[in-house]
Amino acid sequence: MFMNRILPLALYFAIYFLSGFLIPVLSRFLMKFYPCSMHSYFGDILKFYFNKNKIKLKHNKQTHNILKKQYFHHKLLWGTLYLILFGILDYLIPNYINKSFPLTLFYIFIFLLGFSANIDFRCRLIPDIITFPLLMVAFLISVYCQEQGIFTPLNISTINSIYSTIGAYCLCFILALMFYFKNPYSFGGGDVKLLTAISAGIGMENLSWILIFSFMFALLFFITKKEKYVALAPLVFMSFIVWIFMKILINI
């Protein structure tokens, strides 16, 4: 009886750790196909694998070993983060929601959000290959919850999801246009698509909280690091985690 409980739990924890561990690996893979829009991504993959004259770079052995060690620590950090994050959510959500909730879809949503944060931090880019699936997963969550009659602060109705997606895209597009005249790269198309995808899952009202928390994190970053620019996706990822735990804990 004891082993029947321990084995599934160990399997879940292994999956949670692996999901975070793979984020830096996938980010590194995507960076080979920069700038990585949806259509260019697949085209560049084909060119990469069918190109016989692949460029091979020579690395300094000592530098390569240092980078390899840092890369491994980076993977361990993301793996541990997702193990803790999903483990806590796994405990809180079933106690918070009495009915069936699409946890798998929700975890995929958080995985893609963390994925976008990692790659945006590394190369200041959020590729379509991440934001489009993020949007689809958010919409599927709203459809599933409406069909099952589940009402929670974690999701919205399908029609509200559609309205929020359109509204968020228009709002973020206007913001991006305003930023463009001051600095073309401070708020780009990837940021617009990321925030639009998030709004499809949580609604426009909750998106405002994500933006407020992101602004606070950005302000803290500017004060401590004294830099002019910061990647948006990591701030949004942290803000979403803070928001989701606030929603759960306040309503438990």
Side-chain angles (χ1 to χ4, degrees), residues 65-84:
N65 289 336
I66 293 172
L67 292 174
K68 191 176 179 181
K69 189 176 181 181
Q70 290 176 348
Y71 179 54
F72 180 71
H73 289 162
H74 193 201
K75 290 188 288 186
L76 281 180
L77 178 65
W78 274 97
T80 306
L81 173 65
Y82 268 64
L83 174 61
I84 296 170

Side-chain angles (χ1 to χ4, degrees), residues 20-204:
F21 191 84
L22 286 175
I23 284 178
V25 179
L26 294 173
S27 298
R28 188 180 181 186
F29 178 75
L30 282 181
M31 287 170 67
K32 294 179 181 178
F33 310 108
Y34 185 93
C36 201
S37 62
M38 185 66 81
H39 66 281
S40 66
Y41 172 74
F42 293 105
D44 287 345
I45 283 181
L46 292 174
K47 286 195 295 184
F48 179 80
Y49 284 108
F50 286 100
N51 185 10
K52 294 180 180 179
N53 301 315
K54 294 178 183 177
I55 299 174
K56 294 184 179 179
L57 299 174
K58 292 182 179 179
H59 298 281
N60 179 281
K61 190 174 181 180
Q62 185 177 2
T63 305
H64 177 72
N65 289 336
I66 293 172
L67 292 174
K68 191 176 179 181
K69 189 176 181 181
Q70 290 176 348
Y71 179 54
F72 180 71
H73 289 162
H74 193 201
K75 290 188 288 186
L76 281 180
L77 178 65
W78 274 97
T80 306
L81 173 65
Y82 268 64
L83 174 61
I84 296 170
L85 177 61
F86 287 158
I88 294 173
L89 288 174
D90 221 12
Y91 173 76
L92 290 178
I93 289 180
N95 290 283
Y96 172 48
I97 302 168
N98 295 325
K99 296 183 180 180
S100 173
F101 187 78
L103 280 177
T104 304
L105 284 174
F106 184 59
Y107 288 167
I108 292 173
F109 184 86
I110 296 179
F111 170 79
L112 291 171
L113 200 57
F115 192 3
S116 67
N118 184 266
I119 197 166
D120 191 31
F121 178 77
R122 290 171 67 86
C123 58
R124 296 297 190 272
L125 172 79
I126 310 173
D128 295 344
I129 200 71
I130 299 175
T131 52
F132 285 169
L134 190 68
L135 176 61
M136 288 187 286
V137 170
F139 185 70
L140 285 173
I141 290 174
S142 67
V143 171
Y144 178 91
C145 291
Q146 188 174 35
E147 288 180 352
Q148 298 294 321
I150 303 171
F151 177 76
T152 84
L154 297 175
N155 66 278
I156 56 177
S157 66
T158 306
I159 192 66
N160 196 2
S161 177
I162 295 172
Y163 288 151
S164 295
T165 302
I166 297 171
Y169 182 81
C170 293
L171 176 63
C172 292
F173 180 81
I174 293 169
L175 287 173
L177 196 61
M178 291 169 61
F179 276 102
Y180 182 82
F181 291 102
K182 187 174 182 180
N183 189 327
Y185 304 104
S186 59
F187 193 83
D191 299 324
V192 173
K193 293 172 207 170
L194 177 67
L195 294 172
T196 301
I198 293 173
S199 71
I202 65 175
M204 280 286 289

